[in-house]
Amino acid sequence: MSNCSHRWTFLPCLWFTVETNYLREGGTIAFVMPRSVITGAKQHRPFQARGLTRVLDLLRVHPLFNVPSCVLIRRPGEVFMNNIPTTDYQARLPAHQMSLTEAQPYLQDLPAATHFVGEVTVTSPYRDKFKQGATLVPRNLCFVKTAPTTSPW
């Protein structure tokens, strides 16, 4: 996991490690992940390129986690790269800590599909007009004069 130093990329790296080292042949892997893994975050593109079998989208379930979340499922032989079968869950739960049995009456599930964002090649129309990145202009220079001290020593 040496290439997984950034905290938001850690979970996909953990997924890959578990899948390649511990999952039995033909097994199914599922993780609760931050929803950014299936949206446009560029750092997750290599993970998305491996495809998924199913997505359980939990964005509209409140309260749940402090981060928008989803459940990603991958089963060999049933991998989709686009139009990934998705169940979009929606609920306003009466409590934060609930078992599935307790939460079930509040949950609505709707069929959906997940589409990964492809390579984005759109650039700013101002790109050719600038030679440096973000900077604060004008720059202010401050001079500090030390105050005279009256010391008994």
Side-chain angles (χ1 to χ4, degrees), residues 102-123:
E102 294 169 328
Q104 200 77 44
Y106 301 96
L107 290 171
Q108 291 181 321
D109 56 272
L110 303 168
T114 296
H115 307 276
F116 293 141
V117 175
E119 278 302 314
V120 178
T121 56
V122 177
T123 59

Side-chain angles (χ1 to χ4, degrees), residues 13-14 17 30-31 33 44 80 120 137:
C13 291
L14 179 62
T17 301
F31 269 61
M33 296 262 199
H44 298 305
F80 298 90
V120 178
V137 177

Side-chain angles (χ1 to χ4, degrees), residues 30-88:
F31 269 61
V32 175
M33 296 262 199
R35 199 167 180 278
S36 64
V37 173
I38 60 170
T39 60
K42 287 186 213 175
Q43 71 266 26
H44 298 305
R45 297 245 169 89
F47 177 77
Q48 293 172 354
R50 297 177 50 79
L52 294 168
T53 300
R54 184 157 197 78
V55 174
L56 307 179
D57 193 348
L58 306 173
L59 178 65
R60 292 172 190 81
V61 178
H62 302 284
L64 192 58
F65 300 111
N66 292 333
V67 173
S69 303
C70 62
V71 177
L72 305 181
I73 303 166
R74 189 167 193 280
R75 184 177 305 119
E78 299 177 41
V79 176
F80 298 90
M81 306 304 279
N82 204 0
N83 282 335
I84 302 163
T86 301
T87 302
D88 184 11

